[in-house]
């Protein structure tokens, strides 16, 4: 089974409307949190900035959360702007839902695929693993990864999920030999 991996090359942009200039693209930039403690309660925001006018917006991570309910190592990560925590916070689907943005993965990921020989008499099996939740259409990814046309993909690929439906979960497929 050939291993393919979908992995981000950087953090995706956010499709989020700017209140000042109406642009619909924002970035986490270097990645910065703001923490505000009020007695035993805590607010945590992830700061993002409009790519057109630089206006900063705050995305809610925690709102009036009890300090003791947050893992100390995690809290430390918010204070030090830990890049891993910035990434996992941004990619958390709950964050997107709560703060009404979607992720824009354009040019922010790539497919790592070892070269495959497709001219043999045997079917080739491929397992696709997602290191990051990049939404892709399997037919597009397979065509791109194997250098096949979409028509050839539909003719030669047997897949365990629908080929035209966008996914962020791993799947496997088989390339049938040319007949
Ligand atoms: Zn703006």
């Amino acid at each position: 089974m050939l291993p393919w991996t979908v992995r981000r090359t950087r953090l995706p942009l956010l499709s989020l409307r700017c209140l000042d200039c109406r642009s619909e693209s924002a970035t986490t930039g270097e990645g910065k949190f703001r923490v505000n403690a009020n007695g035993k309660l805590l607010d945590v925001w992830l700061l993002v900035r409009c790519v057109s006018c630089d206006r900063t917006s705050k995305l809610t991570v925690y709102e009036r959360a009890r300090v003791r309910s947050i893992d100390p190592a995690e809290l430390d990560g918010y204070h030090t702007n830990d890049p891993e925590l910035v990434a996992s916070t941004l990619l958390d689907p709950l964050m997107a839902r709560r703060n009404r943005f979607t992720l824009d993965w354009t040019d922010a990921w790539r497919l790592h695929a070892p070269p495959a020989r497709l001219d043999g008499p045997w079917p080739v099996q491929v397992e696709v693993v997602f290191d990051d939740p990049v939404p892709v259409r399997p037919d597009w990814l397979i065509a791109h990864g194997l250098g096949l046309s979409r028509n050839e993909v539909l003719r030669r690929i047997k897949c365990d999920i629908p080929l035209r439906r966008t996914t962020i979960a791993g799947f496997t497929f088989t390339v049938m030999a040319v007949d």
Side-chain angles (χ1 to χ4, degrees):
M1 187 109 71
L2 278 173
W4 280 14
T5 309
V6 172
R7 192 177 300 151
R8 66 184 166 87
T9 49
R10 59 168 170 82
L11 286 178
L13 295 176
L14 301 83
S15 297
L16 179 71
R17 171 155 301 187
C18 174
L19 295 176
D20 278 351
C21 77
R22 316 305 279 172
S23 151
E24 292 191 21
S25 195
T27 173
T28 47
E30 302 282 282
K32 213 168 162 17
F33 291 104
R34 183 172 297 165
V35 182
N36 181 32
N38 187 349
K40 287 178 180 166
L41 298 178
L42 202 70
D43 293 313
V44 180
W45 298 279
L46 177 64
L47 302 185
V48 299
R49 127 178 143 254
C50 170
V51 297
S52 299
C53 74
D54 265 357
R55 181 192 209 273
T56 301
S57 310
K58 297 189 296 187
L59 305 181
T60 304
V61 183
Y62 284 111
E63 197 170 19
R64 297 178 62 78
R66 296 194 165 277
V67 178
R68 290 172 64 181
S69 71
I70 303 175
D71 171 48
E74 187 186 335
L75 191 54
D76 191 53
Y78 293 125
H79 282 293
T80 56
N81 301 311
D82 174 42
E84 285 301 311
L85 192 56
V86 170
S88 62
T89 303
L90 179 67
L91 302 186
D92 180 354
L94 263 178
M95 270 295 284
R97 224 172 300 148
R98 188 186 299 144
N99 292 283
R100 294 160 199 267
F101 66 83
T102 53
L103 295 172
D104 173 7
W105 282 100
T106 311
D107 298 330
W109 64 281
R110 57 168 298 197
L111 171 68
H112 299 261
R117 288 204 51 185
L118 301 177
D119 49 358
W122 304 282
V124 175
Q125 273 206 310
V126 178
E127 179 178 26
V128 185
V129 173
F130 286 68
D131 278 1
D132 296 285
V134 184
V136 293
R137 263 180 60 158
D139 59 348
W140 186 91
L141 188 80
I142 295 167
H144 170 74
L146 296 176
L148 295 177
S149 71
R150 295 272 188 102
N151 273 341
E152 280 178 290
V153 167
L154 295 179
R155 218 171 48 236
R156 291 185 60 188
I157 302 299
K158 286 201 183 351
C159 189
D160 59 356
I161 60 167
L163 279 173
R164 293 164 188 264
R165 194 178 305 155
T166 301
T167 183
I168 54 169
F171 62 93
T172 57
F173 66 89
T174 307
V175 193
M176 307 310 288
V178 198
D179 40 41

